[in-house]
Amino acid sequence: MAIWLQSLSWALVYAVGQGMVVYATLWLVLKLLPAVAANVKYHICLVALTILPVWFGITWWQEYHVLQQKWVLLQSQPLVWMTGKGDVLITIMQLVSPWMALCYLAGLLAMLFRFSGGMWQLLSLRKLGVMPADEKVNHLLYV
């Protein structure tokens, strides 16, 4: 299996725990600061959302280099059968990791298409010169 695929799978597994840590920290910060202005809370949440992909990227990078070093080490040594409880987890990860990475990349591609479609619609509306609705129309729609 490709090293980048296996490192992506391990990074996805770690991302679940990382997301829980970020969420718990965000929840605690927002509970400790209930009287803070909404725009400050917005920026705190924006920082939390920025931390998630950055932490994921760093984890993926680290896992890639760790697995690359292990691969070089395994190439230089004779084949030795591993025994122990960790073998089951490694075997399961080897079976599941291509599918995990495939699902992740498919979801990423779907979100990219969705985002691109929204941007295309926005640009076409701007190009056509569509103006916002009148205040009276907005009042009728949202009351």
Side-chain angles (χ1 to χ4, degrees):
M1 177 183 339
I3 295 174
W4 71 269
L5 187 64
Q6 195 170 3
S7 62
L8 175 63
S9 300
W10 280 109
L12 288 171
V13 170
Y14 292 140
V16 173
Q18 293 168 350
M20 288 182 195
V21 168
V22 170
Y23 173 75
T25 305
L26 177 65
W27 180 84
L28 184 66
V29 167
L30 292 178
K31 286 293 180 187
L32 291 175
L33 304 171
V36 174
N39 64 348
V40 174
K41 289 181 182 179
Y42 170 80
H43 284 93
I44 291 171
C45 292
L46 187 63
V47 167
L49 284 175
T50 305
I51 288 171
L52 287 172
V54 169
W55 200 0
F56 173 76
I58 290 170
T59 303
W60 190 6
W61 182 262
Q62 289 174 342
E63 281 299 309
Y64 179 79
H65 286 291
V66 166
L67 289 173
Q68 195 174 31
Q69 289 172 355
K70 286 182 181 179
W71 180 255
V72 169
L73 185 63
L74 285 174
Q75 292 292 330
S76 64
Q77 293 181 353
L79 182 61
V80 177
W81 292 99
M82 298 185 328
T83 58
K85 294 180 182 177
D87 294 343
V88 175
L89 178 62
I90 291 172
T91 305
I92 290 172
M93 277 301 292
Q94 286 177 344
L95 293 173
V96 173
S97 62
W99 296 106
M100 283 176 50
L102 180 67
C103 290
Y104 174 75
L105 293 174
L108 195 63
L109 189 62
M111 290 296 111
L112 180 65
F113 283 137
R114 181 174 179 238
F115 175 73
S116 299
M119 289 301 294
W120 179 76
Q121 282 183 325
L122 178 65
L123 292 175
S124 65
L125 288 173
R126 285 185 180 170
K127 187 177 181 181
L128 291 174
V130 175
M131 301 299 289
D134 189 38
E135 186 63 35
K136 292 179 185 177
V137 175
N138 278 336
H139 181 70
L140 288 173
L141 291 173
Y142 297 109
V143 173

